[in-house]
Amino acid sequence: MLRPIPAGDHIPASDLLEGLNEKQREAVATTDGPLLIIAGAGSGKTRVLTYRIAYLLRMGVHPSHVLALTFTNRAAQEMKERIGHLVGDGIARGIWAGTFHSLFARILRKEAERIGYTNAFTIYDTDDQLSAIKAVMTQLGVSQQVLPPTGVRSRISGYKNNMTPWQEAARNADTLVDKQTAQIYEEYEKRLRQSNAMDFDDLLLNMIRLLEHHPDALAEYQARFKYIMVDEYQDTNRVQYRAVNLLAGALRNLCVVGDDAQSIYRWRGADIRNILDFERDYTDAKVVRLEQNYRSTKMILAAADSVIKNNVKQLKKTLWTDNDEGEKITLLACRDDREEAELVARTIKDRMQLHGYTFKDVAVLYRTNAQSQALEDALRRLNMPYHIVSGVSFYKRKEVKDTLAYLRLLVNQNDTESLLRIINEPARGIGATSLERLQERAVAEGRPLIEVLQSPLAMSIVQKRTQVAVADFVDIVNRYREMVDDLPPATLAQQYIEATGLPQMYKLQDTEDSLDRWNNIERVLSHIYEQQELDETLTLATYLEQIALLSDADDPQIGSNRVGLMTMHAAKGLEFPLVVIAGLEQGLFPLAKAETDINEQEEERRLFYVGITRARKELVLAYAERRYRFGELVFGRPSMFLAEIDKSAFAEMPDRSGKQIAGSRPITDKVAIRGIDSKRPSKAAEKEALSHARFQPPTWKVAKPRGSHNEYAQESGDSYSQVEDGGRVLPGQRVKHPMFGVGTVTGVSGVGTQAKATVLFQNGEKKNLMLAYAKLELIS
DNA sequence: AGAGCGTCGCTTTTT
DNA sequence: GCGACGCTCT
């Protein structure tokens, strides 16, 4: 048993238990042995987790012996911060907190050799997976028309999530499609091995392989992670379950926290059995139920409960609260998606004035990312700041992916997917036919493509001209490979990317679009520089790993004062005083396929439950009778979920013009709302503003003079343009750029977000910089 | 080999 | 309503 240690400057262990309810206290103070915490929405789960870890530390557990597995990096970061407040930052920093994927990647990086990789292994995202699958299908002569590669990808991922190796998949294959899929699976696995690459599933599987095949590694990590906690346990899959069981196997100090009602990742392999089996696998497990909700009003909780109770499959629990009754729910019945967006925006503005919310107190949730567009337009028109939680989109841009592919190749030359991606980008005269032939050769010889490219004998199968082009390309990569250990990553990346000719290609095209792309490449390079400044141990490999494992919910802007726009999946774990859920129509939410499949329907319902329970004070629900989907006007009916909420919970609310917004009448009634101004902004302006709202990469800060503008100007339509307008940068002005150094402005062009400055730097280089992005510091 | 045009499929959610 | 991909032509 543990004994408390002197508290020093911080809160003693016993005090940590104060201010917790009885159940929470029990969960926190149960340090040893298996513990299952069933934590209803808003029941103080995060509080319990952080206090429990702080308690452990106070009881003398060394931070490095604590492992906390979370769903997002943000959740881990937040947890660390909160623990830091309780026990001191220095101590909190020592715990192992992160996602399964990022922590396992870190361990595997160290142990790579033992499972047949090198520590330079690349992490393949879903796009890389797809290219690999396509290449394999071409190699096997399987038609991509008959067998869609995305379908194959999800089947392979399904196999992996069930720990089914290709041998077994092949054995169990009955139909031709099954057999072909199994064969593609086999070749896919070989290809990734050959490429020294792991996909997301492999990060988990390889951790298991390491622990199962290397008893000393198992012993080592079991001894290291003496206390293990798993958050969002209902959304873990079988592989994660196995990994956790292995790690906790010796000491069995395993605490899992979950809520089956909030399980929303079944499609990704999350398995509710993980909760049910816990008590079976750990018969001595203590079970603590947290059922008091501290977050929401009675009204909101009642609505959530009346919805979720329609699910047949669920564990019994009763969530209750001491909070106020609260406001009734507002229902916005709208004619179409434009009007829905408009009304949502106006309602938000209205409630902000009425109840004193600020922008960051508000979130608009929806089922699909595509719905954000109309909402953005409306918010922009009302000049309300917002931010979209989907930080990865910047990294999905072609030029950014190309840049990263070049860097990945530098770190891991066997990374065939990256190699193929950029070998002819910019065009070098290395065509598809030649590459196909060379790939065939590589497969036949069982060696990585990059080796084939460097073998004069093998290269003789392609034209002389191609041979020369390939040799030039390989030279560039090799030249910079030699410098990897000698130059700081940002400098190396900068010089190497310049040498590839990629940025120049876009710059010379000199169109609005190509300059944008050029700029994005510069932003990646500046980003590496920034990260390097923050962490001097940064290497290109670790940088690339961070990028690969970024998640949407990791968007650092989440704390800024803006209205949050996000999917309900992305909203998991968050809470807001005012929550709007838009697009409550059959076929959209729930999605069409849930109408026939009861399991899907229950998952959609859980998702709605998650959405509702994000709200603390007030809930607004909205649907539209017509909506544009795929550029086509589609008619819809209100969501079945709306009918599951008691009619008396809805408010009858006049809007400011005195007109009816929505009533407590049967929701199928048509409620017409007039007088909404719906002038569309110009196409160009829309696209413009959108690109800035969307492509702000995470951890990116636009440097700007202090206090020169309101704090939310950055991304919200018109106000954005004031961030760095041409006005304050004039010819003759001396400026400093983080990468290029000091220079003098020689010219300015464009206005608003398009404002550019030509700067002559001290090294004689002249650069044309977008002021909205380039982090220029004015110096005198 | 590369440019240009047309078709298709896409939007469910993401580590 | 857009972007990715494939086909055709040069």
Side-chain angles (χ1 to χ4, degrees), chain A residues 7 48 434 485 628 665 720 754:
Chain A
V48 165
S434 305
D485 296 326
Y628 280 93
R665 288 173 280 165
Y720 181 82
Q754 287 306 300

Side-chain angles (χ1 to χ4, degrees), chain A residues 488-491 527-538:
Chain A
T491 314
H527 190 220
I528 300 175
Y529 177 84
E530 259 177 46
Q531 295 300 109
Q532 178 184 298
E533 293 298 288
L534 287 174
D535 168 15
E536 69 246 13
T537 67
L538 188 87

Side-chain angles (χ1 to χ4, degrees), chain A residues 579-653:
Chain A
V579 166
V580 182
I581 302 177
L584 277 157
E585 295 131 47
Q586 283 302 110
L588 181 61
F589 192 31
L591 287 169
K593 74 166 172 177
E595 290 175 26
T596 49
D597 182 334
I598 187 70
N599 287 324
E600 295 286 347
Q601 192 183 98
E602 296 213 338
E603 173 129 334
E604 295 283 301
R605 192 177 279 111
R606 288 193 295 270
L607 188 57
F608 187 39
Y609 178 79
V610 168
I612 295 173
T613 53
R614 297 311 94 198
R616 291 178 50 201
K617 304 277 182 209
E618 235 184 312
L619 182 64
V620 176
L621 304 176
Y623 72 89
E625 288 163 11
R626 293 170 239 134
R627 175 180 301 277
Y628 280 93
R629 291 183 87 180
F630 304 120
E632 210 183 348
L633 195 62
V634 186
F635 286 77
R637 288 177 295 121
S639 169
M640 59 188 289
F641 295 154
L642 285 172
E644 294 170 2
I645 299 173
D646 198 286
K647 299 288 170 292
S648 64
F650 290 102
E652 188 130 358
M653 285 284 208

Side-chain angles (χ1 to χ4, degrees), chain A residues 388-440:
Chain A
I388 297 184
V389 182
S390 67
V392 291
S393 52
F394 177 80
Y395 297 101
K396 289 214 171 93
R397 303 203 61 160
K398 183 184 184 305
E399 67 278 14
V400 174
K401 295 205 74 163
D402 287 347
T403 306
L404 294 174
Y406 267 113
L407 296 174
R408 297 197 329 185
L409 190 63
L410 201 60
V411 172
N412 171 18
Q413 59 170 350
N414 292 345
D415 180 349
T416 306
E417 258 42 72
S418 293
L419 171 61
L420 289 170
R421 190 181 170 94
I422 44 76
I423 190 168
N424 202 32
E425 193 72 39
R428 299 187 170 90
I430 306 169
T433 327
S434 305
L435 284 173
E436 200 137 301
R437 254 189 237 153
L438 292 166
Q439 271 196 88
E440 256 171 53

Side-chain angles (χ1 to χ4, degrees), chain A residues 232-375:
Chain A
E232 307 285 9
Y233 191 61
Q234 74 282 354
D235 284 325
T236 52
N237 63 32
R238 296 306 272 181
V239 186
Q240 290 165 320
Y241 183 74
R242 175 90 186 120
V244 165
N245 278 346
L246 283 167
L247 286 172
L251 298 172
R252 297 163 46 90
N253 292 327
L254 173 61
C255 165
V256 301
V257 189
D259 177 8
D260 63 301
Q262 294 185 65
S263 162
I264 53 175
Y265 283 95
R266 210 176 55 111
W267 53 274
R268 208 173 79 185
D271 199 324
I272 201 66
R273 282 183 297 164
N274 288 356
I275 286 195
L276 308 177
D277 287 358
F278 191 81
E279 290 181 73
R280 197 202 61 193
D281 288 356
Y282 298 89
T283 44
D284 54 333
K286 188 164 191 173
V287 181
V288 176
R289 287 167 195 279
L290 303 178
E291 297 184 317
Q292 179 172 4
N293 173 298
Y294 294 96
R295 179 186 296 155
S296 309
T297 63
K298 287 199 174 72
M299 191 66 72
I300 289 162
L301 214 54
D305 185 60
S306 66
V307 167
I308 199 68
K309 75 177 181 215
N310 290 285
N311 271 4
V312 179
K313 291 190 209 159
Q314 64 161 330
L315 301 177
K316 255 198 107 59
K317 75 173 102 33
T318 349
L319 209 51
W320 59 277
T321 184
D322 265 345
N323 292 346
D324 292 344
E325 188 66 25
E327 307 275 334
K328 288 197 171 188
I329 298 166
T330 305
L331 179 66
L332 304 176
C334 316
R335 277 181 308 190
D336 55 37
D337 48 346
R338 278 187 52 75
E339 189 180 88
E340 177 188 58
E342 192 81 40
L343 269 177
V344 164
R346 286 165 53 130
T347 307
I348 291 171
K349 207 162 205 179
D350 199 58
R351 297 310 145 87
M352 283 176 63
Q353 279 172 359
L354 208 61
H355 297 126
Y357 305 133
T358 71
F359 294 114
K360 70 170 189 302
D361 293 336
V362 186
V364 185
L365 312 182
Y366 36 77
R367 182 62 180 83
T368 68
N369 280 310
Q371 288 166 256
S372 72
Q373 179 97 47
L375 294 160

Side-chain angles (χ1 to χ4, degrees), chain A residues 95-154:
Chain A
I95 67 172
W96 287 69
T99 62
F100 278 89
H101 292 86
S102 62
L103 289 182
F104 287 4
R106 203 158 115 200
I107 292 171
L108 290 172
R109 195 68 71 189
K110 229 182 309 171
E111 310 283 353
E113 268 82 18
R114 307 175 78 167
I115 48 167
Y117 295 82
T118 81
N119 64 3
F121 71 80
T122 307
I123 297 168
Y124 276 2
D125 66 15
T126 45
D127 282 341
D128 302 316
Q129 280 184 292
L130 209 56
S131 342
I133 287 166
K134 284 177 182 172
V136 165
M137 289 178 75
T138 308
Q139 174 201 321
L140 293 173
V142 181
S143 158
Q144 297 182 23
Q145 256 74 44
V146 181
L147 206 58
T150 49
V152 175
R153 178 179 60 190
S154 75

Side-chain angles (χ1 to χ4, degrees), chain A residues 150-164:
Chain A
T150 49
V152 175
R153 178 179 60 190
S154 75
R155 291 219 29 205
I156 291 178
S157 183
Y159 284 133
K160 288 187 164 191
N161 286 163
N162 286 315
M163 292 180 278
T164 308

